[in-house]
Amino acid sequence: GESVGLHLPTLSVQEGDNSIINCAYSNSASDYFIWYKQESGKGPQFIIDIRSNMDKRQGQRVTVLLNKTVKHLSLQIAATQPGDSAVYFCAEQDAGGTSYGKLTFGQGTILTVHP
Amino acid sequence: ETGVTQSPTHLIKTRGQQVTLRCSSQSGHNTVSWYQQALGQGPQFIFQYYREEENGRGNFPPRFSGLQFPNYSSELNVNALELDDSALYLCASSFDRGQFGEQYFGPGTRLTVT
């Protein structure tokens, strides 16, 4: 069945470093991908998205890379700050193949930023 | 803040009881999706409501049901509660089924079943 998984469950970095969070997906029909940040006691917060016709998309301090050949997604955070500490989820959607916007989430990576 | 609200914040129920959770969608959105997030896991899709009708369902039994009202707010009902139903229940608000579009999550309702 379809699934989205992460290579590393935890990531610890120093403030100011760049962070890279990785994600593997198995549904080759997925055509839309999203990264969410979830802080303790809150719901997931949208960070950045990318469609399958793109390889890279940049936002403010964040970049998402998509490699469809190996079904791999990554989130790069530049100049990581303590406020970036949270759980990060990748999610995928077979938006073109279904009539509803179901998101399939991975297990999550805990990012800890040390001052 | 996303503008999506959920109530109650926390809830404790006993096995076999029934529970109703509520979600108010963001202004301008006509779609609400419900997710269950067990501790240490990613959210799992329960179902989606679009224009007051169920528009898709995940692998959850029929005792999970829902409603969407004309103002696009939504309810999640769970009957015959089981211990494994203990989780954070999230609703996500979006426009036109949330395909290729941002889904805004509420803060969730923490349900504990004893």
mmCIF file of all heavy atoms in Angstrom, chain B residues 47-93:
data_model
loop_
_atom_site.group_PDB
_atom_site.id
_atom_site.type_symbol
_atom_site.label_atom_id
_atom_site.label_comp_id
_atom_site.label_asym_id
_atom_site.label_seq_id
_atom_site.Cartn_x
_atom_site.Cartn_y
_atom_site.Cartn_z
ATOM 1 N N PHE B 47 -11.798 10.865 7.101
ATOM 2 C CA PHE B 47 -12.694 11.159 5.982
ATOM 3 C C PHE B 47 -12.685 12.645 5.700
ATOM 4 O O PHE B 47 -12.108 13.442 6.432
ATOM 5 C CB PHE B 47 -14.130 10.662 6.212
ATOM 6 C CG PHE B 47 -14.729 10.935 7.563
ATOM 7 C CD1 PHE B 47 -14.762 12.196 8.110
ATOM 8 C CD2 PHE B 47 -15.290 9.886 8.288
ATOM 9 C CE1 PHE B 47 -15.317 12.430 9.358
ATOM 10 C CE2 PHE B 47 -15.848 10.099 9.540
ATOM 11 C CZ PHE B 47 -15.859 11.381 10.062
ATOM 12 N N GLN B 48 -13.337 12.990 4.596
ATOM 13 C CA GLN B 48 -13.427 14.377 4.168
ATOM 14 C C GLN B 48 -14.888 14.725 3.879
ATOM 15 O O GLN B 48 -15.627 13.905 3.329
ATOM 16 C CB GLN B 48 -12.604 14.609 2.901
ATOM 17 C CG GLN B 48 -12.659 16.037 2.377
ATOM 18 C CD GLN B 48 -11.863 16.211 1.084
ATOM 19 O OE1 GLN B 48 -12.350 15.988 -0.015
ATOM 20 N NE2 GLN B 48 -10.607 16.610 1.231
ATOM 21 N N TYR B 49 -15.288 15.929 4.238
ATOM 22 C CA TYR B 49 -16.603 16.434 3.904
ATOM 23 C C TYR B 49 -16.458 17.642 2.994
ATOM 24 O O TYR B 49 -15.694 18.569 3.262
ATOM 25 C CB TYR B 49 -17.396 16.791 5.176
ATOM 26 C CG TYR B 49 -18.053 15.575 5.757
ATOM 27 C CD1 TYR B 49 -17.322 14.718 6.573
ATOM 28 C CD2 TYR B 49 -19.355 15.245 5.435
ATOM 29 C CE1 TYR B 49 -17.904 13.561 7.074
ATOM 30 C CE2 TYR B 49 -19.944 14.093 5.932
ATOM 31 C CZ TYR B 49 -19.207 13.255 6.749
ATOM 32 O OH TYR B 49 -19.772 12.112 7.229
ATOM 33 N N TYR B 50 -17.201 17.593 1.908
ATOM 34 C CA TYR B 50 -17.166 18.655 0.905
ATOM 35 C C TYR B 50 -18.601 19.016 0.575
ATOM 36 O O TYR B 50 -19.376 18.150 0.161
ATOM 37 C CB TYR B 50 -16.411 18.166 -0.329
ATOM 38 C CG TYR B 50 -16.483 19.056 -1.549
ATOM 39 C CD1 TYR B 50 -15.996 20.355 -1.509
ATOM 40 C CD2 TYR B 50 -17.016 18.586 -2.747
ATOM 41 C CE1 TYR B 50 -16.051 21.168 -2.625
ATOM 42 C CE2 TYR B 50 -17.069 19.382 -3.865
ATOM 43 C CZ TYR B 50 -16.582 20.685 -3.806
ATOM 44 O OH TYR B 50 -16.619 21.480 -4.917
ATOM 45 N N ARG B 51 -18.938 20.277 0.792
ATOM 46 C CA ARG B 51 -20.297 20.753 0.511
ATOM 47 C C ARG B 51 -21.356 19.847 1.147
ATOM 48 O O ARG B 51 -22.308 19.439 0.502
ATOM 49 C CB ARG B 51 -20.514 20.874 -0.988
ATOM 50 C CG ARG B 51 -19.655 21.966 -1.614
ATOM 51 C CD ARG B 51 -19.952 22.181 -3.074
ATOM 52 N NE ARG B 51 -19.207 23.313 -3.611
ATOM 53 C CZ ARG B 51 -19.265 23.720 -4.875
ATOM 54 N NH1 ARG B 51 -20.053 23.095 -5.729
ATOM 55 N NH2 ARG B 51 -18.539 24.746 -5.274
ATOM 56 N N GLU B 52 -21.135 19.531 2.407
ATOM 57 C CA GLU B 52 -22.079 18.825 3.282
ATOM 58 C C GLU B 52 -22.210 17.329 2.997
ATOM 59 O O GLU B 52 -23.074 16.669 3.565
ATOM 60 C CB GLU B 52 -23.463 19.480 3.236
ATOM 61 C CG GLU B 52 -23.462 20.949 3.640
ATOM 62 C CD GLU B 52 -24.838 21.579 3.576
ATOM 63 O OE1 GLU B 52 -25.753 21.060 4.231
ATOM 64 O OE2 GLU B 52 -24.993 22.590 2.857
ATOM 65 N N GLU B 53 -21.336 16.774 2.159
ATOM 66 C CA GLU B 53 -21.394 15.343 1.886
ATOM 67 C C GLU B 53 -20.027 14.693 2.103
ATOM 68 O O GLU B 53 -18.985 15.314 1.861
ATOM 69 C CB GLU B 53 -21.848 15.085 0.451
ATOM 70 C CG GLU B 53 -23.286 15.488 0.191
ATOM 71 C CD GLU B 53 -23.789 14.992 -1.154
ATOM 72 O OE1 GLU B 53 -23.010 14.376 -1.895
ATOM 73 O OE2 GLU B 53 -24.972 15.229 -1.454
ATOM 74 N N GLU B 54 -20.030 13.433 2.545
ATOM 75 C CA GLU B 54 -18.759 12.705 2.676
ATOM 76 C C GLU B 54 -18.180 12.503 1.277
ATOM 77 O O GLU B 54 -18.841 11.968 0.394
ATOM 78 C CB GLU B 54 -18.981 11.358 3.364
ATOM 79 C CG GLU B 54 -17.670 10.626 3.649
ATOM 80 C CD GLU B 54 -17.860 9.314 4.385
ATOM 81 O OE1 GLU B 54 -18.346 9.308 5.520
ATOM 82 O OE2 GLU B 54 -17.503 8.269 3.789
ATOM 83 N N ASN B 55 -16.922 12.892 1.129
ATOM 84 C CA ASN B 55 -16.300 12.908 -0.188
ATOM 85 C C ASN B 55 -15.102 11.972 -0.296
ATOM 86 O O ASN B 55 -14.398 11.978 -1.284
ATOM 87 C CB ASN B 55 -15.860 14.330 -0.512
ATOM 88 C CG ASN B 55 -15.358 14.473 -1.923
ATOM 89 O OD1 ASN B 55 -16.004 14.054 -2.879
ATOM 90 N ND2 ASN B 55 -14.168 15.041 -2.075
ATOM 91 N N GLY B 56 -14.881 11.180 0.722
ATOM 92 C CA GLY B 56 -13.744 10.264 0.701
ATOM 93 C C GLY B 56 -13.529 9.754 2.104
ATOM 94 O O GLY B 56 -13.788 10.468 3.078
ATOM 95 N N ARG B 57 -13.051 8.521 2.218
ATOM 96 C CA ARG B 57 -12.913 7.902 3.529
ATOM 97 C C ARG B 57 -11.661 7.058 3.575
ATOM 98 O O ARG B 57 -11.300 6.391 2.604
ATOM 99 C CB ARG B 57 -14.129 7.015 3.804
ATOM 100 C CG ARG B 57 -14.219 6.517 5.221
ATOM 101 C CD ARG B 57 -15.477 5.698 5.432
ATOM 102 N NE ARG B 57 -15.608 5.332 6.833
ATOM 103 C CZ ARG B 57 -16.286 6.032 7.733
ATOM 104 N NH1 ARG B 57 -16.943 7.120 7.363
ATOM 105 N NH2 ARG B 57 -16.348 5.643 8.993
ATOM 106 N N GLY B 58 -10.970 7.094 4.714
ATOM 107 C CA GLY B 58 -9.799 6.255 4.940
ATOM 108 C C GLY B 58 -10.215 4.928 5.560
ATOM 109 O O GLY B 58 -11.389 4.569 5.590
ATOM 110 N N ASN B 59 -9.242 4.198 6.085
ATOM 111 C CA ASN B 59 -9.499 2.864 6.638
ATOM 112 C C ASN B 59 -9.976 2.932 8.085
ATOM 113 O O ASN B 59 -9.291 2.472 9.001
ATOM 114 C CB ASN B 59 -8.227 2.017 6.529
ATOM 115 C CG ASN B 59 -7.855 1.753 5.095
ATOM 116 O OD1 ASN B 59 -8.720 1.581 4.233
ATOM 117 N ND2 ASN B 59 -6.569 1.737 4.816
ATOM 118 N N PHE B 60 -11.117 3.502 8.274
ATOM 119 C CA PHE B 60 -11.714 3.587 9.599
ATOM 120 C C PHE B 60 -13.090 2.933 9.565
ATOM 121 O O PHE B 60 -13.804 3.040 8.573
ATOM 122 C CB PHE B 60 -11.826 5.050 10.050
ATOM 123 C CG PHE B 60 -10.526 5.617 10.539
ATOM 124 C CD1 PHE B 60 -9.571 6.083 9.660
ATOM 125 C CD2 PHE B 60 -10.249 5.655 11.906
ATOM 126 C CE1 PHE B 60 -8.356 6.578 10.109
ATOM 127 C CE2 PHE B 60 -9.047 6.155 12.366
ATOM 128 C CZ PHE B 60 -8.084 6.612 11.467
ATOM 129 N N PRO B 61 -13.469 2.257 10.676
ATOM 130 C CA PRO B 61 -14.759 1.539 10.687
ATOM 131 C C PRO B 61 -15.937 2.496 10.677
ATOM 132 O O PRO B 61 -15.793 3.698 10.954
ATOM 133 C CB PRO B 61 -14.690 0.744 12.000
ATOM 134 C CG PRO B 61 -13.747 1.517 12.856
ATOM 135 C CD PRO B 61 -12.730 2.111 11.921
ATOM 136 N N PRO B 62 -17.142 1.966 10.393
ATOM 137 C CA PRO B 62 -18.353 2.800 10.309
ATOM 138 C C PRO B 62 -18.722 3.499 11.606
ATOM 139 O O PRO B 62 -19.495 4.465 11.570
ATOM 140 C CB PRO B 62 -19.435 1.784 9.904
ATOM 141 C CG PRO B 62 -18.700 0.695 9.249
ATOM 142 C CD PRO B 62 -17.380 0.595 9.959
ATOM 143 N N ARG B 63 -18.179 3.056 12.746
ATOM 144 C CA ARG B 63 -18.524 3.755 13.985
ATOM 145 C C ARG B 63 -17.896 5.157 14.033
ATOM 146 O O ARG B 63 -18.220 5.943 14.925
ATOM 147 C CB ARG B 63 -18.100 2.915 15.200
ATOM 148 C CG ARG B 63 -16.639 2.583 15.294
ATOM 149 C CD ARG B 63 -16.351 1.564 16.408
ATOM 150 N NE ARG B 63 -14.929 1.340 16.542
ATOM 151 C CZ ARG B 63 -14.152 2.147 17.246
ATOM 152 N NH1 ARG B 63 -14.676 3.173 17.894
ATOM 153 N NH2 ARG B 63 -12.853 1.904 17.314
ATOM 154 N N PHE B 64 -17.035 5.449 13.069
ATOM 155 C CA PHE B 64 -16.550 6.821 12.858
ATOM 156 C C PHE B 64 -17.459 7.443 11.795
ATOM 157 O O PHE B 64 -17.504 6.971 10.647
ATOM 158 C CB PHE B 64 -15.106 6.844 12.371
ATOM 159 C CG PHE B 64 -14.088 6.543 13.429
ATOM 160 C CD1 PHE B 64 -13.865 5.235 13.841
ATOM 161 C CD2 PHE B 64 -13.347 7.559 14.024
ATOM 162 C CE1 PHE B 64 -12.924 4.951 14.827
ATOM 163 C CE2 PHE B 64 -12.409 7.277 14.999
ATOM 164 C CZ PHE B 64 -12.192 5.967 15.403
ATOM 165 N N SER B 65 -18.177 8.491 12.182
ATOM 166 C CA SER B 65 -19.074 9.144 11.228
ATOM 167 C C SER B 65 -18.958 10.648 11.393
ATOM 168 O O SER B 65 -18.363 11.135 12.361
ATOM 169 C CB SER B 65 -20.516 8.694 11.452
ATOM 170 O OG SER B 65 -20.966 9.080 12.731
ATOM 171 N N GLY B 66 -19.528 11.361 10.440
ATOM 172 C CA GLY B 66 -19.403 12.801 10.509
ATOM 173 C C GLY B 66 -20.570 13.526 9.885
ATOM 174 O O GLY B 66 -21.495 12.916 9.323
ATOM 175 N N LEU B 67 -20.495 14.816 10.027
ATOM 176 C CA LEU B 67 -21.488 15.709 9.431
ATOM 177 C C LEU B 67 -20.789 16.985 9.009
ATOM 178 O O LEU B 67 -19.784 17.380 9.616
ATOM 179 C CB LEU B 67 -22.569 16.080 10.446
ATOM 180 C CG LEU B 67 -23.635 15.073 10.828
ATOM 181 C CD1 LEU B 67 -24.464 15.623 11.978
ATOM 182 C CD2 LEU B 67 -24.518 14.756 9.626
ATOM 183 N N GLN B 68 -21.346 17.636 7.991
ATOM 184 C CA GLN B 68 -20.920 18.992 7.690
ATOM 185 C C GLN B 68 -22.169 19.843 7.553
ATOM 186 O O GLN B 68 -23.162 19.426 6.950
ATOM 187 C CB GLN B 68 -20.077 19.064 6.413
ATOM 188 C CG GLN B 68 -19.485 20.453 6.185
ATOM 189 C CD GLN B 68 -18.590 20.530 4.969
ATOM 190 O OE1 GLN B 68 -18.835 19.859 3.959
ATOM 191 N NE2 GLN B 68 -17.551 21.342 5.038
ATOM 192 N N PHE B 69 -22.127 21.025 8.113
ATOM 193 C CA PHE B 69 -23.290 21.898 8.165
ATOM 194 C C PHE B 69 -23.230 22.944 7.051
ATOM 195 O O PHE B 69 -22.175 23.131 6.428
ATOM 196 C CB PHE B 69 -23.362 22.541 9.551
ATOM 197 C CG PHE B 69 -23.475 21.531 10.656
ATOM 198 C CD1 PHE B 69 -22.350 21.143 11.379
ATOM 199 C CD2 PHE B 69 -24.684 20.935 10.960
ATOM 200 C CE1 PHE B 69 -22.438 20.188 12.376
ATOM 201 C CE2 PHE B 69 -24.785 19.983 11.957
ATOM 202 C CZ PHE B 69 -23.660 19.613 12.666
ATOM 203 N N PRO B 70 -24.343 23.635 6.812
ATOM 204 C CA PRO B 70 -24.370 24.638 5.734
ATOM 205 C C PRO B 70 -23.308 25.719 5.866
ATOM 206 O O PRO B 70 -22.896 26.304 4.860
ATOM 207 C CB PRO B 70 -25.783 25.219 5.831
ATOM 208 C CG PRO B 70 -26.606 24.098 6.372
ATOM 209 C CD PRO B 70 -25.707 23.390 7.357
ATOM 210 N N ASN B 71 -22.863 25.999 7.091
ATOM 211 C CA ASN B 71 -21.792 26.998 7.254
ATOM 212 C C ASN B 71 -20.413 26.350 7.129
ATOM 213 O O ASN B 71 -19.400 26.995 7.383
ATOM 214 C CB ASN B 71 -21.910 27.699 8.608
ATOM 215 C CG ASN B 71 -21.674 26.778 9.793
ATOM 216 O OD1 ASN B 71 -21.497 25.564 9.625
ATOM 217 N ND2 ASN B 71 -21.669 27.343 10.984
ATOM 218 N N TYR B 72 -20.382 25.065 6.746
ATOM 219 C CA TYR B 72 -19.179 24.270 6.482
ATOM 220 C C TYR B 72 -18.425 23.840 7.739
ATOM 221 O O TYR B 72 -17.373 23.222 7.629
ATOM 222 C CB TYR B 72 -18.239 24.955 5.493
ATOM 223 C CG TYR B 72 -18.907 25.238 4.170
ATOM 224 C CD1 TYR B 72 -18.949 26.535 3.647
ATOM 225 C CD2 TYR B 72 -19.522 24.215 3.458
ATOM 226 C CE1 TYR B 72 -19.576 26.787 2.435
ATOM 227 C CE2 TYR B 72 -20.155 24.467 2.255
ATOM 228 C CZ TYR B 72 -20.181 25.751 1.749
ATOM 229 O OH TYR B 72 -20.816 26.010 0.549
ATOM 230 N N SER B 73 -18.962 24.143 8.918
ATOM 231 C CA SER B 73 -18.387 23.538 10.105
ATOM 232 C C SER B 73 -18.708 22.050 10.096
ATOM 233 O O SER B 73 -19.555 21.592 9.304
ATOM 234 C CB SER B 73 -18.930 24.199 11.372
ATOM 235 O OG SER B 73 -20.321 23.951 11.502
ATOM 236 N N SER B 74 -18.031 21.298 10.944
ATOM 237 C CA SER B 74 -18.167 19.847 10.850
ATOM 238 C C SER B 74 -18.105 19.198 12.223
ATOM 239 O O SER B 74 -17.571 19.766 13.181
ATOM 240 C CB SER B 74 -17.044 19.295 9.977
ATOM 241 O OG SER B 74 -17.090 17.882 9.885
ATOM 242 N N GLU B 75 -18.676 18.019 12.299
ATOM 243 C CA GLU B 75 -18.607 17.186 13.502
ATOM 244 C C GLU B 75 -18.041 15.823 13.157
ATOM 245 O O GLU B 75 -18.288 15.299 12.067
ATOM 246 C CB GLU B 75 -20.012 16.976 14.097
ATOM 247 C CG GLU B 75 -20.595 18.149 14.812
ATOM 248 C CD GLU B 75 -21.939 17.828 15.442
ATOM 249 O OE1 GLU B 75 -22.459 16.714 15.216
ATOM 250 O OE2 GLU B 75 -22.477 18.702 16.134
ATOM 251 N N LEU B 76 -17.290 15.277 14.100
ATOM 252 C CA LEU B 76 -16.823 13.892 14.006
ATOM 253 C C LEU B 76 -17.466 13.145 15.166
ATOM 254 O O LEU B 76 -17.353 13.574 16.317
ATOM 255 C CB LEU B 76 -15.302 13.830 14.111
ATOM 256 C CG LEU B 76 -14.677 12.463 14.403
ATOM 257 C CD1 LEU B 76 -14.920 11.504 13.251
ATOM 258 C CD2 LEU B 76 -13.170 12.607 14.654
ATOM 259 N N ASN B 77 -18.143 12.071 14.885
ATOM 260 C CA ASN B 77 -18.777 11.244 15.898
ATOM 261 C C ASN B 77 -18.105 9.878 15.938
ATOM 262 O O ASN B 77 -17.849 9.280 14.883
ATOM 263 C CB ASN B 77 -20.261 11.061 15.588
ATOM 264 C CG ASN B 77 -21.000 12.373 15.548
ATOM 265 O OD1 ASN B 77 -21.181 13.026 16.562
ATOM 266 N ND2 ASN B 77 -21.423 12.784 14.354
ATOM 267 N N VAL B 78 -17.824 9.417 17.132
ATOM 268 C CA VAL B 78 -17.260 8.084 17.282
ATOM 269 C C VAL B 78 -18.130 7.327 18.283
ATOM 270 O O VAL B 78 -18.309 7.769 19.422
ATOM 271 C CB VAL B 78 -15.804 8.113 17.780
ATOM 272 C CG1 VAL B 78 -15.221 6.691 17.748
ATOM 273 C CG2 VAL B 78 -14.950 9.044 16.930
ATOM 274 N N ASN B 79 -18.677 6.206 17.845
ATOM 275 C CA ASN B 79 -19.513 5.368 18.708
ATOM 276 C C ASN B 79 -18.698 4.212 19.271
ATOM 277 O O ASN B 79 -17.636 3.852 18.731
ATOM 278 C CB ASN B 79 -20.692 4.802 17.902
ATOM 279 C CG ASN B 79 -21.651 5.884 17.452
ATOM 280 O OD1 ASN B 79 -21.930 6.815 18.197
ATOM 281 N ND2 ASN B 79 -22.133 5.768 16.234
ATOM 282 N N ALA B 80 -19.216 3.634 20.351
ATOM 283 C CA ALA B 80 -18.605 2.440 20.945
ATOM 284 C C ALA B 80 -17.096 2.599 21.087
ATOM 285 O O ALA B 80 -16.309 1.815 20.526
ATOM 286 C CB ALA B 80 -18.941 1.216 20.093
ATOM 287 N N LEU B 81 -16.688 3.613 21.806
ATOM 288 C CA LEU B 81 -15.275 3.948 21.938
ATOM 289 C C LEU B 81 -14.444 2.769 22.426
ATOM 290 O O LEU B 81 -14.852 2.009 23.319
ATOM 291 C CB LEU B 81 -15.107 5.126 22.901
ATOM 292 C CG LEU B 81 -15.452 6.503 22.333
ATOM 293 C CD1 LEU B 81 -15.563 7.528 23.437
ATOM 294 C CD2 LEU B 81 -14.431 6.924 21.284
ATOM 295 N N GLU B 82 -13.257 2.656 21.837
ATOM 296 C CA GLU B 82 -12.281 1.645 22.216
ATOM 297 C C GLU B 82 -11.033 2.341 22.742
ATOM 298 O O GLU B 82 -10.788 3.516 22.440
ATOM 299 C CB GLU B 82 -11.944 0.765 21.012
ATOM 300 C CG GLU B 82 -13.147 0.046 20.423
ATOM 301 C CD GLU B 82 -12.805 -0.758 19.179
ATOM 302 O OE1 GLU B 82 -11.625 -0.744 18.764
ATOM 303 O OE2 GLU B 82 -13.720 -1.391 18.625
ATOM 304 N N LEU B 83 -10.239 1.608 23.507
ATOM 305 C CA LEU B 83 -9.026 2.193 24.085
ATOM 306 C C LEU B 83 -8.111 2.752 22.998
ATOM 307 O O LEU B 83 -7.483 3.806 23.179
ATOM 308 C CB LEU B 83 -8.280 1.153 24.913
ATOM 309 C CG LEU B 83 -9.019 0.620 26.150
ATOM 310 C CD1 LEU B 83 -8.161 -0.430 26.858
ATOM 311 C CD2 LEU B 83 -9.380 1.750 27.103
ATOM 312 N N ASP B 84 -8.049 2.064 21.855
ATOM 313 C CA ASP B 84 -7.181 2.495 20.755
ATOM 314 C C ASP B 84 -7.661 3.765 20.075
ATOM 315 O O ASP B 84 -6.958 4.308 19.216
ATOM 316 C CB ASP B 84 -7.050 1.382 19.706
ATOM 317 C CG ASP B 84 -6.145 0.266 20.181
ATOM 318 O OD1 ASP B 84 -5.455 0.458 21.206
ATOM 319 O OD2 ASP B 84 -6.127 -0.804 19.547
ATOM 320 N N ASP B 85 -8.835 4.242 20.424
ATOM 321 C CA ASP B 85 -9.321 5.503 19.858
ATOM 322 C C ASP B 85 -8.669 6.703 20.546
ATOM 323 O O ASP B 85 -8.851 7.840 20.100
ATOM 324 C CB ASP B 85 -10.848 5.600 19.989
ATOM 325 C CG ASP B 85 -11.575 4.548 19.175
ATOM 326 O OD1 ASP B 85 -11.003 4.085 18.156
ATOM 327 O OD2 ASP B 85 -12.709 4.184 19.557
ATOM 328 N N SER B 86 -7.941 6.462 21.607
ATOM 329 C CA SER B 86 -7.225 7.542 22.285
ATOM 330 C C SER B 86 -6.208 8.144 21.327
ATOM 331 O O SER B 86 -5.313 7.436 20.831
ATOM 332 C CB SER B 86 -6.515 7.017 23.537
ATOM 333 O OG SER B 86 -7.441 6.576 24.503
ATOM 334 N N ALA B 87 -6.336 9.430 21.060
ATOM 335 C CA ALA B 87 -5.480 10.082 20.062
ATOM 336 C C ALA B 87 -5.796 11.567 20.031
ATOM 337 O O ALA B 87 -6.713 12.048 20.696
ATOM 338 C CB ALA B 87 -5.720 9.479 18.672
ATOM 339 N N LEU B 88 -5.023 12.284 19.223
ATOM 340 C CA LEU B 88 -5.315 13.680 18.905
ATOM 341 C C LEU B 88 -6.113 13.684 17.606
ATOM 342 O O LEU B 88 -5.678 13.109 16.601
ATOM 343 C CB LEU B 88 -4.010 14.463 18.728
ATOM 344 C CG LEU B 88 -4.155 15.948 18.396
ATOM 345 C CD1 LEU B 88 -4.729 16.724 19.579
ATOM 346 C CD2 LEU B 88 -2.793 16.534 17.998
ATOM 347 N N TYR B 89 -7.283 14.299 17.622
ATOM 348 C CA TYR B 89 -8.115 14.371 16.432
ATOM 349 C C TYR B 89 -7.999 15.768 15.841
ATOM 350 O O TYR B 89 -8.295 16.771 16.498
ATOM 351 C CB TYR B 89 -9.568 14.009 16.776
ATOM 352 C CG TYR B 89 -9.698 12.529 17.044
ATOM 353 C CD1 TYR B 89 -9.435 12.014 18.305
ATOM 354 C CD2 TYR B 89 -10.026 11.647 16.020
ATOM 355 C CE1 TYR B 89 -9.509 10.647 18.553
ATOM 356 C CE2 TYR B 89 -10.101 10.288 16.246
ATOM 357 C CZ TYR B 89 -9.836 9.790 17.517
ATOM 358 O OH TYR B 89 -9.894 8.437 17.752
ATOM 359 N N LEU B 90 -7.578 15.796 14.603
ATOM 360 C CA LEU B 90 -7.318 17.046 13.899
ATOM 361 C C LEU B 90 -8.323 17.240 12.778
ATOM 362 O O LEU B 90 -8.680 16.277 12.090
ATOM 363 C CB LEU B 90 -5.915 17.021 13.290
ATOM 364 C CG LEU B 90 -4.745 16.927 14.264
ATOM 365 C CD1 LEU B 90 -3.498 16.426 13.545
ATOM 366 C CD2 LEU B 90 -4.480 18.277 14.906
ATOM 367 N N CYS B 91 -8.755 18.458 12.602
ATOM 368 C CA CYS B 91 -9.514 18.747 11.395
ATOM 369 C C CYS B 91 -8.698 19.718 10.552
ATOM 370 O O CYS B 91 -7.904 20.508 11.068
ATOM 371 C CB CYS B 91 -10.901 19.303 11.695
ATOM 372 S SG CYS B 91 -10.946 20.987 12.329
ATOM 373 N N ALA B 92 -8.869 19.610 9.262
ATOM 374 C CA ALA B 92 -8.166 20.466 8.313
ATOM 375 C C ALA B 92 -9.185 21.110 7.386
ATOM 376 O O ALA B 92 -10.043 20.425 6.824
ATOM 377 C CB ALA B 92 -7.158 19.663 7.504
ATOM 378 N N SER B 93 -9.077 22.402 7.249
ATOM 379 C CA SER B 93 -9.992 23.189 6.439
ATOM 380 C C SER B 93 -9.319 23.509 5.107
ATOM 381 O O SER B 93 -8.121 23.817 5.067
ATOM 382 C CB SER B 93 -10.320 24.468 7.204
ATOM 383 O OG SER B 93 -10.966 25.428 6.407
#
